[in-house]
Amino acid sequence: MAALQRLQPVRRVAVSGGTHGNEMSGIYLVKHWLREPSALQRDSFSATPFLTNPLAIERCVRYVGRDLNRTFTKQFLNSKAARDEPYEVQRAREINHLYGPKGSAEAFDFLFELHNTTANVGACLIASAQDNLLPMHMCHFIQTHCTPGYYPILLYNLPDQETYSISSVAKHGLAFELGPQPQGVLRADLFTQMGALMACALDFIDLFNKGTTFPAFEMEAYRFIGSVDYPRHPDGELCAAVHSKLQDKDFLPLRPGDPIFQTFSGEEILYQGHTTIYPVFINEAAYYEKKIAFNKTEKCSLSIPALQRE
Amino acid sequence: MTSCSVVLEAPVRRVAIFGGTHGNELSGVFLVKHWQKNGAEIQRSGLQVTPFITNPRAVKKCTRYIDCDLNRVFDPDNLGRKVMEDIPYEVRKAQEINNLFGPKGSDVAYDLIFDLHNTTSNMGGTLILENSRNDFIIQMFHYIKVKLILNKLLHIYFYMLLKDCIPVQGLNYTDSWAKHPVGVEVGPQPQGVLRADILDKMRKIIKHGLDFIYLSFLGEEFPPCTIEVYRIIEKVDYPRNKNDEIIAIIHPCLQDQDWQPLNKGDPIFLTCDGETIAYEGDSTVYPTFVNEAAYYEKKQAFMKTVKLKLTHALSPAS
């Protein structure tokens, strides 16, 4: 097994809510923490809460000009201000200035992003890739220490793909994705659960800063491999809905021949792949325009080496 | 009791089915679009059934509305406004719909309109009644309910708006000017999401509704019946601070409990600090539209209703 790995302590931590302005758990938690910051304070650091997309939050929409959480790439972060650019491009540069710059030594140590989905993913923990040890240990800590629940881990980055989400601005990051919750709705159960996740994650950072050794472990995770669009008419209109047997079955195995869609005329469409996959983000409201009915993932086992601060 | 026929002076023959009055309530949007392409299942011999998308721009943007809520502008003032450039899109649309399917109150108006809606609340299948003396609709609701229960499809609720509970201007819903307006509300379904199970429920409600209209058209008589309805009595807003910001959430004990009795002392809200706020009313009410996404801006956390029975051809009985 790989030797103990060492990382710098984590001092500068930020928590972003409202990256999508209609995902309410994070918005209301951050607003609450802005009024009462004590919940984000630990012996070794204090996390800074901030609202990511104020204009979208005010209008209760996902975004105003373009999806902010696909805008933290070199192309946009290095762009010059232009009069007709989308609001989110300007906001991404601002956030990069405040909490980055992305990839630099001055960047924040850790950035959390808080999201909701209309899909039945439970309390999903999303990291870019397994090679960033700190978030992987944090996920494991949450799975073993947080209130009993289902905390599947999703690795979203394809090999060699540039990271694009807000947490990629900091040195380390993790997203909490809680669902199902409709856009524009705040449910008490998810609000409470997201608060508990955050508390647990901050406890982990505090223990890490204080020198705790986190032993090596094996874990299961789901790795993003692609997406499936809805069946459409030639004019682009949907001609089928997600099949009722697939609806709400996020992270459960989908085998070749299983039904995935049902057309409005009553026909079933079956999954044509050759291997078992694990669909996630099934029937997410925001993904209709992205032409995604669900994302495909594969289940993998990871060996994570032990970790301690430098 | 004498034989109570529901046959009216002229039978219900022209029926419209509206989808997309709110552009992000997708069951109606996709059912209507499907029926526009392939309408065999909604046609009944002798009836004229017209599926129609009421707010196409909101449908395209997948948003509730563009300028203002279409489902609140069918009043004489808005319908009478002169078309000018700055007139809200939905007011223009309301005038168009009034011309196509009305005019409101006239002889040429459509006889019956189904207006298809979704809610994020856990309300199941709900039919909205706007007039407690509409015998035809009461009979239709009873018919739909019996058919659905018989086929173990779903339980259905009847939600009553009464003119005397809506302040001054009367009812201004998209369908409320038809002789027989029928709101169909099925949930829970997030905005911008199409669920196969919810679509199926709505489809079956419409099927049985059309069957009833068809049987009436053929002259079938229905015996007197009684239905149980939930009548709206009051809206309840979220607790707010001085800046008008919401400071408490629907309590987990109330969330998803639409139509269930709420008694004095039962929790209704949970503050962000974790405190419970209890219901203080003296009488039992039945909350509906609990935590509906579109009602945050309307300052409604839920609606209080009371249960009562309606017997067709008679005034509301207790």
Side-chain angles (χ1 to χ4, degrees):
Chain A
M1 184 155 272
L4 175 78
Q5 307 287 308
R6 290 188 184 274
L7 288 171
Q8 294 275 336
V10 174
R11 303 290 181 203
R12 296 167 75 215
V13 179
V15 183
S16 67
T19 301
H20 298 127
N22 54 13
E23 297 175 5
M24 306 283 266
S25 306
I27 295 168
Y28 276 84
L29 274 172
V30 165
K31 281 184 178 175
H32 176 63
W33 290 327
L34 287 168
R35 286 192 295 266
E36 292 172 40
S38 60
L40 299 185
Q41 289 158 7
R42 295 292 183 277
D43 296 340
S44 60
F45 72 100
S46 291
T48 309
F50 72 103
L51 291 173
T52 323
N53 195 335
L55 206 53
I57 293 167
E58 198 186 307
R59 297 183 193 175
C60 197
V61 293
R62 184 174 174 90
Y63 57 81
V64 177
R66 61 167 279 125
D67 192 335
L68 177 58
N69 220 28
R70 306 291 184 276
T71 308
F72 294 91
T73 57
K74 286 194 199 94
Q75 182 202 343
F76 294 109
L77 297 180
N78 299 334
S79 65
K80 290 233 165 70
R83 203 178 293 165
D84 60 346
E85 71 185 358
Y87 166 73
E88 278 81 5
V89 174
Q90 171 220 320
R91 187 66 187 136
R93 279 197 306 266
E94 249 170 60
I95 290 165
N96 190 43
H97 177 73
L98 288 168
Y99 303 99
K102 181 171 175 171
S104 75
E106 300 89 76
F108 262 55
D109 297 315
F110 209 106
L111 205 159
F112 290 96
E113 40 179 308
L114 308 180
H115 292 279
N116 292 118
T117 169
T118 62
N120 186 28
V121 303
C124 177
L125 313 175
I126 307 182
S128 59
Q130 74 202 61
D131 47 14
N132 196 335
L133 287 187
L134 200 69
M136 298 318 288
H137 271 274
M138 184 182 281
C139 289
H140 186 242
F141 186 84
I142 288 169
Q143 287 181 329
T144 48
H145 289 78
C146 204
T147 46
Y150 182 51
Y151 304 105
I153 297 163
L154 177 65
L155 304 171
Y156 77 85
N157 243 54
L158 291 167
D160 303 322
Q161 184 194 23
E162 184 184 6
T163 53
Y164 51 76
S165 74
I166 183 170
S167 55
S168 69
V169 162
K171 295 191 183 88
H172 315 279
L174 189 65
F176 298 150
E177 183 81 68
L178 270 59
Q181 179 171 270
Q183 296 178 342
V185 167
L186 182 63
R187 286 182 63 102
D189 48 0
L190 297 194
F191 179 86
T192 306
Q193 190 177 32
M194 193 178 267
L197 276 171
M198 200 62 237
C200 190
L202 296 179
D203 289 347
F204 165 79
I205 294 177
D206 198 39
L207 288 172
F208 171 76
N209 285 343
K210 287 171 173 168
T212 304
T213 305
F214 297 95
F217 60 92
E218 303 278 320
M219 80 189 316
E220 201 172 72
Y222 297 84
R223 188 181 280 129
F224 172 73
I225 51 172
S227 61
V228 175
D229 187 18
Y230 293 91
R232 293 174 189 267
H233 291 294
D235 62 2
E237 289 277 3
L238 305 197
C239 62
V242 166
H243 199 285
S244 49
K245 285 181 180 155
L246 178 61
Q247 179 70 48
D248 303 328
K249 301 292 195 302
D250 301 72
F251 293 110
L252 294 175
L254 179 73
R255 298 179 179 88
D258 286 347
I260 50 175
F261 297 111
Q262 54 196 91
T263 71
F264 301 134
S265 315
E267 289 142 25
E268 288 191 329
I269 296 174
L270 309 179
Y271 178 57
Q272 303 284 348
H274 298 296
T275 56
T276 297
I277 56 152
Y278 298 81
V280 299
F281 288 109
I282 299 167
N283 210 349
E284 157 57 36
Y287 288 179
Y288 281 67
E289 65 172 24
K290 295 187 199 293
K291 299 192 187 287
I292 298 171
F294 59 89
N295 279 329
K296 297 190 285 184
T297 73
E298 58 185 13
K299 195 155 50 165
C300 50
S301 294
L302 309 175
S303 291
I304 307 294
L307 177 70
Q308 196 182 26
R309 61 163 285 186
E310 275 182 3
Chain B
M1 187 172 250
T2 54
S3 165
C4 292
S5 160
V6 296
V7 176
L8 304 166
E9 297 141 15
V12 170
R13 199 185 69 78
R14 300 174 78 206
V15 178
I17 306 176
F18 287 173
T21 297
H22 297 130
N24 53 13
E25 297 176 4
L26 296 190
S27 305
V29 170
F30 281 97
L31 277 175
V32 165
K33 282 183 179 178
H34 174 67
W35 290 330
Q36 285 175 334
K37 287 191 165 89
N38 182 0
E41 80 180 89
I42 54 167
Q43 296 314 322
R44 302 286 185 280
S45 160
L47 304 186
Q48 181 188 337
V49 183
T50 311
F52 187 76
I53 295 284
T54 36
N55 196 337
R57 272 180 64 192
V59 167
K60 191 153 189 232
K61 277 186 78 177
C62 197
T63 178
R64 184 173 174 91
Y65 55 80
I66 303 291
D67 295 322
C68 60
D69 194 333
L70 175 62
N71 213 20
R72 303 289 185 276
V73 294
F74 283 83
D75 56 286
D77 283 354
N78 274 311
L79 293 178
R81 275 172 81 169
K82 290 221 173 88
V83 177
M84 290 184 296
E85 294 213 338
D86 61 345
I87 196 170
Y89 171 73
E90 276 79 7
V91 172
R92 235 184 312 143
K93 218 52 218 175
Q95 294 179 346
E96 244 175 77
I97 294 165
N98 189 40
N99 286 335
L100 283 169
F101 297 95
K104 188 170 180 166
S106 75
D107 289 343
V108 294
Y110 265 59
D111 300 313
L112 188 144
I113 292 173
F114 290 107
D115 192 20
L116 307 183
H117 289 269
N118 292 120
T119 170
T120 63
S121 307
N122 186 28
M123 287 171 64
T126 300
L127 293 175
I128 297 175
L129 178 68
E130 294 186 17
N131 180 346
S132 61
R133 291 177 191 85
N134 190 327
D135 296 336
F136 184 81
I137 294 298
I138 291 172
Q139 281 287 7
M140 183 172 85
F141 282 14
H142 181 257
Y143 178 91
I144 294 173
K145 180 164 188 158
V146 167
K147 287 292 173 190
L148 291 173
I149 291 175
L150 215 64
N151 295 314
K152 296 195 170 68
L153 292 171
L154 82 147
H155 190 65
I156 192 154
Y157 299 90
F158 306 131
Y159 179 71
M160 187 167 61
L161 304 157
L162 272 186
K163 294 198 174 169
D164 55 12
C165 357
I166 307 287
V168 220
Q169 73 269 31
L171 287 165
N172 304 321
Y173 296 101
T174 308
D175 58 0
S176 53
W177 42 273
K179 272 179 223 152
H180 303 292
V182 181
V184 181
E185 186 83 64
V186 189
Q189 179 171 270
Q191 297 177 342
V193 166
L194 181 67
R195 285 184 65 105
D197 50 354
I198 301 286
L199 182 99
D200 187 53
K201 283 179 185 172
M202 187 177 275
R203 201 170 195 164
K204 281 170 175 141
I205 291 169
I206 295 300
K207 175 204 168 347
H208 294 300
L210 290 171
D211 286 350
F212 174 82
I213 296 167
Y214 180 59
L215 291 173
S216 306
F217 178 74
L218 295 180
E220 183 156 337
E221 291 186 14
F222 297 88
C225 67
T226 299
I227 61 170
E228 189 178 67
V229 302
Y230 294 80
R231 178 180 159 181
I232 173 176
I233 52 167
E234 197 185 350
K235 301 164 180 175
V236 179
D237 187 16
Y238 293 93
R240 294 173 188 268
N241 65 16
K242 284 177 199 155
N243 301 326
D244 215 29
E245 292 167 324
I246 292 173
I247 51 163
I249 317 169
I250 293 287
H251 196 280
C253 295
L254 177 58
Q255 178 71 47
D256 304 326
Q257 300 303 309
D258 302 70
W259 312 115
Q260 302 304 312
L262 181 72
N263 297 304
K264 186 172 189 169
D266 288 347
I268 49 175
F269 294 112
L270 182 68
T271 71
C272 296
D273 298 316
E275 278 167 47
T276 293
I277 297 173
Y279 173 60
E280 288 176 353
D282 285 321
S283 58
T284 300
V285 292
Y286 298 83
T288 62
F289 285 108
V290 177
N291 211 348
E292 156 60 37
Y295 289 176
Y296 280 68
E297 65 173 20
K298 296 188 198 294
K299 302 199 177 215
Q300 295 168 25
F302 62 91
M303 306 278 202
K304 290 195 232 170
T305 72
V306 290
K307 227 194 289 203
L308 52 92
K309 287 195 162 73
L310 286 182
T311 299
H312 103 280
L314 296 173
S315 302
S318 57

